[in-house]
Amino acid sequence: MGKSVKTSRWFDRLSLRHQFMYTSILILVCTIGATLLTWGLSTLYVFKAPGGFPAPANYYEQQIPKILSYVRKNNEALLNPASRQAVDQVIPLEGIDYQVMGIAGDVRYGTIAKRLIPSREELLHRINTTGRDEGKFIRYVPIINQEQELRGAIVLRYRLDLLASNPDKQLFMALFVVVNMAMPLIYLTIFTFFFGQVFSRKIKPPIAKLIEGAHRIERRDLDFEMEEIKGAKELKELGDAFEEMRRALYDSLDREWRSEQARREMVAAIAHDLRTPLTIIQGHAENLRDSETIRPERLHKYVNTILQNTGRSIRLLEEMTGLSEIEHPDFSLLPEPVDVASFIAQKTEEYTLLCSRKKIVLSSTCEDMRPSPKRMCLDAHRLGQVLDNVIANSIRFTPDYGSIRWNVRISEERIDFEITDSGPGFTAQDVRMVFNKFYKGDSSRSVEKGHAGLGLYTCYTLIQKHGGEIIAENNPDGGASIRFWINKLFC
């Protein structure tokens, strides 16, 4: 029993190709064994059959020496038709046809009526030879006189096959030959069907499990675990792949659910963040509407407040719209050849202008490590979006008269960026969560500055799509530091 189980387990670990090969060999071995056994039993039956063992296929050829002895004994006397009765007694007419002819090939008598030799010369040519005629062997035996002169010939025609050698048992021998010749095919069919059924019963359960699993997935029921599939190596691999697919679908649906939750949270967060500026805008607008007379300085203050909160609302909506675009499944970067040094110089000018409003000193360096500087394939728009968010974040939390340092290093395959500032730096919680969606750190400062906590999350997402990485940390000398790198793209 234990050996049988081990054999079954060994067979289950084989590939379908090897199982089919071994099954085919087993079918062939069983077919050969059963055929040989049948042939042996058939032969044994023939030996024991009534009437004795059948004559061999060359039975009549074995009678030739006896006939030749009779011919040499009687010779020229055989040319006399009166010898026919005696000749008929010597030659087994049921299996051998004969013809006695003269020296010129003329027919004297025999069971072959048609003339076989047209002339004396032809007879001399064929005497003592064996040939074929109408599928039978034909032998030309000379008839000579006492002076050893050729006087004629006796032609013997016979077949070399089992049926012809057993005229009284032809039906039995025909069935014997046909059945025994057909036994390999019969056994091959029987064993193929039998082992085919065994093989089918072996692989049907695992296939049924896979089909049931597919139906459950079709019904969107992913809360199950696929049982281990046995039966063949390929089936096990298919079962493992199916389980991996189920888990991937389960995880995908879970991510989809989480994404939907995040979307709802985003909508709620944006609605919450928009409520404050819109309330302020509404209050100032109502004051303007209800005031019959208003001093110019107060009017200017109201209008500025309305404009500031309108811009704040617009920025919040732009962040939400931009993030939705980036997170869309069809989103892809649009790389193009970019002169990186010129791009960095242009952005430096823009950020210098922004820093000047708070008297912040911006210093930048760009180090190109390549032997021969050339254009690099990048999505300049998205890279600019990342830099805008990181620099804006540094400016937001850097005090007046502070400093921001921006270092860029360009290599053959990637670009490294480091932005450090003299602001308060990150808290321990900030370092862990600063790239999370909707994370704002100090909520009072976030509301004051008017952002929804999506800027650095957008940077994180875009840098991942560039095949890079972004890290937030604190400088040993104080202040925050953002380091990230991106790979070059293919245009």
mmCIF file of all heavy atoms in Angstrom, residues 26 46 52 55 88 109 119-120 138 181 196 204 220 228-229 286 292-293 302 311 348 371 376 399 417 421-422 424 473:
data_model
loop_
_atom_site.group_PDB
_atom_site.id
_atom_site.type_symbol
_atom_site.label_atom_id
_atom_site.label_comp_id
_atom_site.label_asym_id
_atom_site.label_seq_id
_atom_site.Cartn_x
_atom_site.Cartn_y
_atom_site.Cartn_z
ATOM 1 N N LEU A 26 3.667 1.866 -21.183
ATOM 2 C CA LEU A 26 2.943 0.821 -20.455
ATOM 3 C C LEU A 26 1.902 0.157 -21.348
ATOM 4 O O LEU A 26 1.747 -1.082 -21.325
ATOM 5 C CB LEU A 26 2.267 1.432 -19.222
ATOM 6 C CG LEU A 26 1.555 0.466 -18.272
ATOM 7 C CD1 LEU A 26 2.535 -0.572 -17.728
ATOM 8 C CD2 LEU A 26 0.884 1.224 -17.136
ATOM 9 N N VAL A 46 -3.416 -25.157 -31.168
ATOM 10 C CA VAL A 46 -3.254 -25.794 -32.475
ATOM 11 C C VAL A 46 -2.604 -27.166 -32.316
ATOM 12 O O VAL A 46 -2.969 -28.134 -32.987
ATOM 13 C CB VAL A 46 -2.439 -24.889 -33.410
ATOM 14 C CG1 VAL A 46 -1.999 -25.648 -34.661
ATOM 15 C CG2 VAL A 46 -3.259 -23.660 -33.812
ATOM 16 N N GLY A 52 -4.416 -32.795 -35.491
ATOM 17 C CA GLY A 52 -2.991 -32.552 -35.394
ATOM 18 C C GLY A 52 -2.595 -31.156 -35.810
ATOM 19 O O GLY A 52 -3.383 -30.326 -36.228
ATOM 20 N N ALA A 55 -0.056 -28.275 -41.412
ATOM 21 C CA ALA A 55 1.169 -28.348 -42.209
ATOM 22 C C ALA A 55 1.801 -26.973 -42.307
ATOM 23 O O ALA A 55 1.097 -25.954 -42.348
ATOM 24 C CB ALA A 55 0.838 -28.877 -43.604
ATOM 25 N N ASP A 88 -0.614 -39.048 -60.575
ATOM 26 C CA ASP A 88 -1.581 -38.374 -59.686
ATOM 27 C C ASP A 88 -1.518 -38.911 -58.264
ATOM 28 O O ASP A 88 -1.852 -38.199 -57.310
ATOM 29 C CB ASP A 88 -3.001 -38.522 -60.231
ATOM 30 C CG ASP A 88 -3.233 -37.689 -61.480
ATOM 31 O OD1 ASP A 88 -2.356 -36.836 -61.781
ATOM 32 O OD2 ASP A 88 -4.261 -37.851 -62.143
ATOM 33 N N TYR A 109 -0.014 -34.365 -70.615
ATOM 34 C CA TYR A 109 -1.146 -34.489 -69.679
ATOM 35 C C TYR A 109 -0.782 -33.687 -68.424
ATOM 36 O O TYR A 109 0.314 -33.157 -68.281
ATOM 37 C CB TYR A 109 -1.439 -35.941 -69.320
ATOM 38 C CG TYR A 109 -0.298 -36.693 -68.654
ATOM 39 C CD1 TYR A 109 -0.177 -36.691 -67.266
ATOM 40 C CD2 TYR A 109 0.639 -37.419 -69.409
ATOM 41 C CE1 TYR A 109 0.843 -37.374 -66.657
ATOM 42 C CE2 TYR A 109 1.668 -38.083 -68.802
ATOM 43 C CZ TYR A 109 1.773 -38.071 -67.412
ATOM 44 O OH TYR A 109 2.793 -38.733 -66.803
ATOM 45 N N SER A 119 8.654 -23.687 -77.128
ATOM 46 C CA SER A 119 9.627 -24.327 -78.048
ATOM 47 C C SER A 119 10.649 -25.136 -77.275
ATOM 48 O O SER A 119 10.744 -25.040 -76.049
ATOM 49 C CB SER A 119 10.357 -23.251 -78.877
ATOM 50 O OG SER A 119 11.128 -22.412 -78.019
ATOM 51 N N ARG A 120 11.399 -25.892 -78.024
ATOM 52 C CA ARG A 120 12.456 -26.714 -77.438
ATOM 53 C C ARG A 120 13.525 -25.840 -76.787
ATOM 54 O O ARG A 120 14.019 -26.149 -75.701
ATOM 55 C CB ARG A 120 13.082 -27.588 -78.547
ATOM 56 C CG ARG A 120 14.285 -28.426 -78.099
ATOM 57 C CD ARG A 120 14.937 -29.086 -79.318
ATOM 58 N NE ARG A 120 16.122 -29.805 -78.918
ATOM 59 C CZ ARG A 120 16.174 -31.087 -78.581
ATOM 60 N NH1 ARG A 120 15.050 -31.791 -78.608
ATOM 61 N NH2 ARG A 120 17.312 -31.661 -78.228
ATOM 62 N N ILE A 138 7.065 -22.112 -59.668
ATOM 63 C CA ILE A 138 6.993 -23.111 -60.742
ATOM 64 C C ILE A 138 8.393 -23.674 -60.983
ATOM 65 O O ILE A 138 9.361 -22.928 -61.096
ATOM 66 C CB ILE A 138 6.394 -22.485 -62.030
ATOM 67 C CG1 ILE A 138 6.209 -23.571 -63.084
ATOM 68 C CG2 ILE A 138 7.220 -21.326 -62.544
ATOM 69 C CD1 ILE A 138 5.333 -23.091 -64.254
ATOM 70 N N MET A 181 -3.141 -12.044 -36.112
ATOM 71 C CA MET A 181 -2.549 -10.825 -36.680
ATOM 72 C C MET A 181 -3.246 -9.576 -36.144
ATOM 73 O O MET A 181 -2.635 -8.513 -36.015
ATOM 74 C CB MET A 181 -2.633 -10.865 -38.206
ATOM 75 C CG MET A 181 -1.748 -11.923 -38.854
ATOM 76 S SD MET A 181 0.010 -11.660 -38.492
ATOM 77 C CE MET A 181 0.309 -10.144 -39.375
ATOM 78 N N GLY A 196 -6.536 5.153 -20.786
ATOM 79 C CA GLY A 196 -7.106 6.481 -21.037
ATOM 80 C C GLY A 196 -8.133 6.842 -19.993
ATOM 81 O O GLY A 196 -8.190 7.983 -19.511
ATOM 82 N N LYS A 204 -9.211 14.537 -14.065
ATOM 83 C CA LYS A 204 -10.525 15.188 -14.042
ATOM 84 C C LYS A 204 -10.776 15.961 -12.749
ATOM 85 O O LYS A 204 -11.265 17.108 -12.810
ATOM 86 C CB LYS A 204 -11.615 14.136 -14.253
ATOM 87 C CG LYS A 204 -12.992 14.728 -14.468
ATOM 88 C CD LYS A 204 -14.007 13.654 -14.811
ATOM 89 C CE LYS A 204 -15.395 14.264 -15.018
ATOM 90 N NZ LYS A 204 -16.396 13.229 -15.368
ATOM 91 N N ARG A 220 -17.548 36.777 -8.855
ATOM 92 C CA ARG A 220 -16.874 37.779 -8.029
ATOM 93 C C ARG A 220 -16.729 37.331 -6.580
ATOM 94 O O ARG A 220 -16.706 38.138 -5.656
ATOM 95 C CB ARG A 220 -17.587 39.133 -8.103
ATOM 96 C CG ARG A 220 -17.617 39.713 -9.508
ATOM 97 C CD ARG A 220 -18.107 41.138 -9.504
ATOM 98 N NE ARG A 220 -18.046 41.698 -10.852
ATOM 99 C CZ ARG A 220 -18.342 42.961 -11.153
ATOM 100 N NH1 ARG A 220 -18.719 43.783 -10.187
ATOM 101 N NH2 ARG A 220 -18.265 43.404 -12.387
ATOM 102 N N GLU A 228 -4.563 22.602 -3.131
ATOM 103 C CA GLU A 228 -3.400 22.166 -3.895
ATOM 104 C C GLU A 228 -3.841 21.227 -5.024
ATOM 105 O O GLU A 228 -4.579 20.278 -4.812
ATOM 106 C CB GLU A 228 -2.396 21.461 -3.001
ATOM 107 C CG GLU A 228 -1.121 21.054 -3.743
ATOM 108 C CD GLU A 228 -0.133 20.346 -2.841
ATOM 109 O OE1 GLU A 228 -0.475 20.102 -1.662
ATOM 110 O OE2 GLU A 228 0.964 20.023 -3.318
ATOM 111 N N ILE A 229 -3.404 21.553 -6.223
ATOM 112 C CA ILE A 229 -3.764 20.767 -7.402
ATOM 113 C C ILE A 229 -2.711 19.681 -7.622
ATOM 114 O O ILE A 229 -1.505 19.954 -7.659
ATOM 115 C CB ILE A 229 -3.866 21.660 -8.654
ATOM 116 C CG1 ILE A 229 -4.939 22.737 -8.440
ATOM 117 C CG2 ILE A 229 -4.177 20.825 -9.881
ATOM 118 C CD1 ILE A 229 -6.325 22.195 -8.285
ATOM 119 N N GLU A 286 -20.932 89.481 1.337
ATOM 120 C CA GLU A 286 -22.180 89.950 1.964
ATOM 121 C C GLU A 286 -21.983 91.317 2.616
ATOM 122 O O GLU A 286 -22.878 92.190 2.573
ATOM 123 C CB GLU A 286 -22.649 88.930 3.004
ATOM 124 C CG GLU A 286 -23.186 87.646 2.385
ATOM 125 C CD GLU A 286 -23.514 86.613 3.440
ATOM 126 O OE1 GLU A 286 -23.152 86.827 4.624
ATOM 127 O OE2 GLU A 286 -24.119 85.564 3.072
ATOM 128 N N GLU A 292 -23.884 100.342 2.636
ATOM 129 C CA GLU A 292 -24.283 101.405 1.699
ATOM 130 C C GLU A 292 -23.078 102.282 1.366
ATOM 131 O O GLU A 292 -22.914 102.733 0.248
ATOM 132 C CB GLU A 292 -25.402 102.240 2.306
ATOM 133 C CG GLU A 292 -26.689 101.436 2.534
ATOM 134 C CD GLU A 292 -27.785 102.281 3.141
ATOM 135 O OE1 GLU A 292 -27.516 103.484 3.392
ATOM 136 O OE2 GLU A 292 -28.888 101.754 3.355
ATOM 137 N N THR A 293 -22.311 102.558 2.361
ATOM 138 C CA THR A 293 -21.086 103.345 2.133
ATOM 139 C C THR A 293 -19.935 102.595 2.774
ATOM 140 O O THR A 293 -20.058 102.014 3.859
ATOM 141 C CB THR A 293 -21.204 104.732 2.755
ATOM 142 O OG1 THR A 293 -21.429 104.616 4.145
ATOM 143 C CG2 THR A 293 -22.336 105.525 2.100
ATOM 144 N N TYR A 302 -11.201 94.167 1.724
ATOM 145 C CA TYR A 302 -12.163 93.104 1.415
ATOM 146 C C TYR A 302 -11.824 92.420 0.089
ATOM 147 O O TYR A 302 -11.872 91.188 -0.031
ATOM 148 C CB TYR A 302 -13.575 93.705 1.359
ATOM 149 C CG TYR A 302 -14.203 93.964 2.726
ATOM 150 C CD1 TYR A 302 -13.525 93.658 3.887
ATOM 151 C CD2 TYR A 302 -15.482 94.528 2.825
ATOM 152 C CE1 TYR A 302 -14.101 93.901 5.136
ATOM 153 C CE2 TYR A 302 -16.069 94.777 4.066
ATOM 154 C CZ TYR A 302 -15.362 94.453 5.217
ATOM 155 O OH TYR A 302 -15.931 94.691 6.439
ATOM 156 N N GLY A 311 -7.881 82.402 -4.817
ATOM 157 C CA GLY A 311 -6.669 81.712 -5.273
ATOM 158 C C GLY A 311 -6.400 80.461 -4.482
ATOM 159 O O GLY A 311 -5.967 79.433 -5.023
ATOM 160 N N THR A 348 15.926 77.523 -11.770
ATOM 161 C CA THR A 348 16.605 78.293 -10.722
ATOM 162 C C THR A 348 16.168 79.753 -10.758
ATOM 163 O O THR A 348 15.938 80.380 -9.708
ATOM 164 C CB THR A 348 18.126 78.178 -10.885
ATOM 165 O OG1 THR A 348 18.512 76.797 -10.813
ATOM 166 C CG2 THR A 348 18.853 78.958 -9.792
ATOM 167 N N PRO A 371 30.954 62.224 -19.429
ATOM 168 C CA PRO A 371 32.135 62.641 -20.201
ATOM 169 C C PRO A 371 31.773 63.627 -21.314
ATOM 170 O O PRO A 371 32.532 64.546 -21.604
ATOM 171 C CB PRO A 371 32.688 61.332 -20.784
ATOM 172 C CG PRO A 371 31.930 60.239 -20.164
ATOM 173 C CD PRO A 371 30.750 60.777 -19.478
ATOM 174 N N MET A 376 19.075 64.540 -22.502
ATOM 175 C CA MET A 376 18.610 63.318 -21.842
ATOM 176 C C MET A 376 17.100 63.250 -21.965
ATOM 177 O O MET A 376 16.405 64.267 -21.897
ATOM 178 C CB MET A 376 19.005 63.337 -20.365
ATOM 179 C CG MET A 376 18.629 62.083 -19.590
ATOM 180 S SD MET A 376 19.169 62.148 -17.854
ATOM 181 C CE MET A 376 20.929 61.910 -18.051
ATOM 182 N N PRO A 399 11.730 80.386 7.117
ATOM 183 C CA PRO A 399 11.416 81.741 7.600
ATOM 184 C C PRO A 399 12.037 82.816 6.705
ATOM 185 O O PRO A 399 12.920 82.545 5.885
ATOM 186 C CB PRO A 399 12.017 81.752 9.006
ATOM 187 C CG PRO A 399 13.127 80.752 8.957
ATOM 188 C CD PRO A 399 12.659 79.676 8.023
ATOM 189 N N PHE A 417 18.821 64.781 -7.096
ATOM 190 C CA PHE A 417 18.463 66.114 -6.605
ATOM 191 C C PHE A 417 18.518 66.100 -5.075
ATOM 192 O O PHE A 417 18.165 65.110 -4.428
ATOM 193 C CB PHE A 417 17.046 66.502 -7.038
ATOM 194 C CG PHE A 417 16.849 66.574 -8.526
ATOM 195 C CD1 PHE A 417 16.523 65.440 -9.262
ATOM 196 C CD2 PHE A 417 16.975 67.786 -9.191
ATOM 197 C CE1 PHE A 417 16.332 65.505 -10.625
ATOM 198 C CE2 PHE A 417 16.775 67.863 -10.558
ATOM 199 C CZ PHE A 417 16.454 66.724 -11.279
ATOM 200 N N ASP A 421 16.736 73.184 3.381
ATOM 201 C CA ASP A 421 16.348 74.544 3.786
ATOM 202 C C ASP A 421 16.716 74.775 5.238
ATOM 203 O O ASP A 421 17.173 73.869 5.942
ATOM 204 C CB ASP A 421 14.839 74.755 3.554
ATOM 205 C CG ASP A 421 13.983 73.794 4.350
ATOM 206 O OD1 ASP A 421 14.180 73.689 5.578
ATOM 207 O OD2 ASP A 421 13.089 73.135 3.743
ATOM 208 N N SER A 422 16.532 76.003 5.649
ATOM 209 C CA SER A 422 16.867 76.391 7.029
ATOM 210 C C SER A 422 15.618 76.514 7.887
ATOM 211 O O SER A 422 15.609 77.250 8.870
ATOM 212 C CB SER A 422 17.640 77.718 7.031
ATOM 213 O OG SER A 422 16.855 78.756 6.425
ATOM 214 N N PRO A 424 12.218 74.748 10.088
ATOM 215 C CA PRO A 424 12.184 73.983 11.347
ATOM 216 C C PRO A 424 12.457 72.497 11.166
ATOM 217 O O PRO A 424 12.649 71.770 12.144
ATOM 218 C CB PRO A 424 10.755 74.219 11.853
ATOM 219 C CG PRO A 424 9.957 74.484 10.614
ATOM 220 C CD PRO A 424 10.878 75.231 9.698
ATOM 221 N N GLU A 473 14.291 63.828 5.188
ATOM 222 C CA GLU A 473 15.085 63.690 6.398
ATOM 223 C C GLU A 473 15.453 65.077 6.921
ATOM 224 O O GLU A 473 15.180 66.092 6.254
ATOM 225 C CB GLU A 473 16.341 62.866 6.117
ATOM 226 C CG GLU A 473 17.229 63.455 5.034
ATOM 227 C CD GLU A 473 18.351 62.513 4.631
ATOM 228 O OE1 GLU A 473 18.359 61.375 5.125
ATOM 229 O OE2 GLU A 473 19.205 62.927 3.824
#
